[in-house]
Amino acid sequence: MASKKIADILGDKAEDLLNHKCKVDKSTLTLPSPSYIDDIFVQSDRNNRVVGSMQQLLDHGRLGGTGYCSIFPVDQGIEHSAGASFAPNPIYFDPENIVKLAIEAGCNGVASTFGVLGILSRKYAHKIPFIVKLNHNELLSYPNKFDQTMYGSVETAYNMGAVGVGATVYWGSEESTRQLQEVSEAFALAHELGMCTILWCYLRNDGFKVNGTDYSTSADLTGQANHIGVTLQADIIKQKMATNNGGYNAVKYGKTSPLVYKNLSSDHPIDLCRYQVLNCYSGKIGLINSGGASSGESDLKEAVETAVINKRAGGMGLIMGRKAFQRPFKEGVELLIASQDVYLDESITIA
C-alpha cells in the first residue's frame, strides 16, 4: 500500500487509483527503470552524445537513477501571457526564480524559453539540465490562431549548454503540417549535436469539440498524436492527461477500431493513460503528462493523482509548471516533491 501521506492526499480516490488493474497487461510494455537508457537508447540510432544527454537528464535530481523524470516547465509567459501567468506570484517575472525552484525541488531538468534560460545559462547550465523550448504560440496577435513559431535555433540552444530541446506540434490545426516539418528538421539537428528531444503533442482544432464535450484530450486522439510524435523521433513525449475517450467516433473523421475501446481502454483514467503509453511504442519512448492549470487549494491532490495515474499506467513522469509557480515558493517546492514521492514509493506499482 502507498505511504499514508500519499493515501491521505488521494482521499476517497485512493482505493480506486491504487488498486486498478489495466486492460492492457503491463508485461507488454517497456517500463521506466534504472537500466532504461541501456535497454532502449543504446540500441537505437541515437548517437553517443544523445545517449549521454538522456542519461544526464534521467540521473539528475531526486528521481535520478530511477528511470523516472520530473521536469519543471515555464513557457507560459509567452504561451498564456506574462501577466496571466505570473501575477499570482510576481517573483517569477524574474527568470532566476524559475531555475531556483527547479533546483530546490530536485527536478531532473528545467524547460523554458530561449530568453529565460539564455539570461542564466553561465550561472546555472552546469547545475541543472536545461531544455530549451524552440517554438511557441502567443496571445498578442489578433485574432489568435493555433500556431507555433520558431523563436530561435537549435545551435543557440546547444551553445547555451542545453542537454535537450523541446517543441510543440498542434496536431489537427491548419498549420500542423508546417510545424511537423519544422520540428522534424530541428529534432534531427538536435540529435546530430547530441541533444535529446521532447515533443509537446497537443491537439488544437475547434472541430474536436462536439456537443459541448472537448475531445482534444481523448485517449484515442491523443494516443495517435503520441504515435506521430514518436515517429518524429522525439525521445520523450509530453501529453495532457486523457480525460475521456471516443474522439474519433465523436468527430466522425479518421480511422479507429472498436477494439480500441473494447480491449485496449476503458473509462478509467489509468486505462486512458495506458493507451497513451501504448502509442509511445509500448513505452519504449517515455510519456510524461502535464500538470494542467492551477486550481488553487486542490492543486496538491490533483498533482499526486496525476502522478499516480501516470506511474501506474507505465509513464515516465510529470512535467508540471503552473501548479507549482502560481503559489508561494516554498509551497511550489513542496508540491513538486509530493508528486515526485509517488515515483519513489515502491509500493505504488504498475497497474
Side-chain angles (χ1 to χ4, degrees):
M1 185 65 178
S3 72
K4 184 177 186 302
K5 179 180 179 181
I6 292 173
D8 287 346
I9 292 172
L10 293 174
D12 58 3
K13 292 186 178 181
E15 177 71 22
D16 182 46
L17 291 178
L18 295 173
N19 295 303
H20 177 74
K21 180 175 174 58
C22 279
K23 283 193 170 185
V24 176
D25 192 87
K26 64 182 180 182
S27 65
T28 66
L29 304 177
T30 296
L31 300 172
S33 74
S35 63
Y36 170 75
I37 298 297
D38 289 336
D39 295 341
I40 301 302
F41 277 84
V42 169
Q43 315 301 322
S44 74
D45 66 349
R46 274 66 162 179
N47 65 43
N48 289 347
R49 290 189 179 277
V50 175
V51 173
S53 293
M54 281 291 291
Q55 191 73 65
Q56 183 180 346
L57 181 65
L58 291 182
D59 278 350
H60 192 82
R62 297 183 72 242
L63 300 185
T66 65
Y68 289 107
C69 194
S70 169
I71 296 174
F72 182 53
V74 184
D75 60 357
Q76 290 88 349
I78 295 175
E79 297 277 348
H80 302 160
S81 93
S85 300
F86 303 140
N89 198 355
I91 67 168
Y92 292 105
F93 279 102
D94 181 345
E96 187 161 9
N97 289 313
I98 293 171
V99 179
K100 284 181 176 179
L101 179 60
I103 292 173
E104 186 70 19
C107 293
N108 295 71
V110 57
S112 196
T113 67
F114 280 98
V116 165
L117 298 179
I119 201 71
L120 299 163
S121 63
R122 291 183 185 273
K123 187 172 183 178
Y124 288 107
H126 60 294
K127 295 181 179 179
I128 184 171
F130 278 12
I131 298 152
V132 180
K133 185 72 167 24
L134 298 174
N135 63 2
H136 304 281
N137 192 27
E138 46 82 21
L139 283 173
L140 201 55
S141 297
Y142 185 81
N144 189 47
K145 55 186 181 296
F146 300 138
D147 201 2
Q148 288 278 327
T149 304
M150 289 289 180
Y151 271 59
S153 70
V154 173
E155 291 93 339
T156 301
Y158 174 81
N159 287 333
M160 75 169 68
V163 304
V165 297
T168 299
V169 173
Y170 278 157
W171 304 111
S173 70
E174 291 184 7
E175 294 82 7
S176 62
T177 300
R178 192 206 78 244
Q179 294 165 18
L180 183 161
Q181 294 170 334
E182 289 176 348
V183 171
S184 176
E185 293 172 2
F187 279 10
L189 178 56
H191 279 161
E192 285 183 25
L193 295 175
M195 292 183 287
C196 58
T197 59
I198 302 177
L199 188 64
W200 277 238
C201 276
Y202 290 168
L203 277 69
R204 288 289 190 279
N205 191 308
D206 288 337
F208 294 137
K209 298 176 182 178
V210 181
N211 296 326
T213 300
D214 186 357
Y215 289 97
S216 65
T217 52
S218 68
D220 52 354
L221 292 177
T222 56
Q224 181 59 22
N226 292 355
H227 196 71
I228 302 174
V230 293
T231 303
L232 291 182
Q233 289 204 314
D235 299 319
I236 297 174
I237 294 292
K238 178 193 177 189
Q239 182 58 266
K240 294 183 178 181
M241 188 62 72
T243 59
N244 53 39
N245 210 349
Y248 274 112
N249 298 323
V251 302
K252 302 185 186 306
Y253 179 75
K255 293 184 177 182
T256 187
S257 165
L259 298 177
V260 168
Y261 314 100
K262 180 181 178 182
N263 295 344
L264 304 181
S265 61
S266 72
D267 60 359
H268 195 283
I270 298 177
D271 273 321
L272 297 177
C273 188
R274 175 146 302 177
Y275 189 70
Q276 292 179 331
V277 172
L278 196 63
N279 277 278
C280 294
Y281 293 157
S282 296
K284 282 184 166 59
I285 297 298
L287 170 71
I288 56 177
N289 286 114
S290 56
S294 175
S295 304
E297 292 184 2
S298 63
D299 280 349
L300 177 62
K301 182 177 182 181
E302 291 172 5
V304 171
E305 285 177 7
T306 303
V308 170
I309 292 167
N310 173 272
K311 181 181 182 181
R312 299 209 69 223
M316 179 179 274
L318 295 187
I319 181 163
M320 189 173 296
R322 282 171 288 173
K323 279 181 165 51
F325 72 72
Q326 290 186 335
R327 62 185 57 250
F329 187 93
K330 182 180 178 182
E331 291 182 18
V333 170
E334 292 171 348
L335 184 144
L336 290 171
I337 287 175
S339 67
Q340 294 162 7
D341 284 345
V342 170
Y343 296 95
L344 295 173
D345 190 332
E346 295 181 358
S347 70
I348 300 176
T349 57
I350 310 301

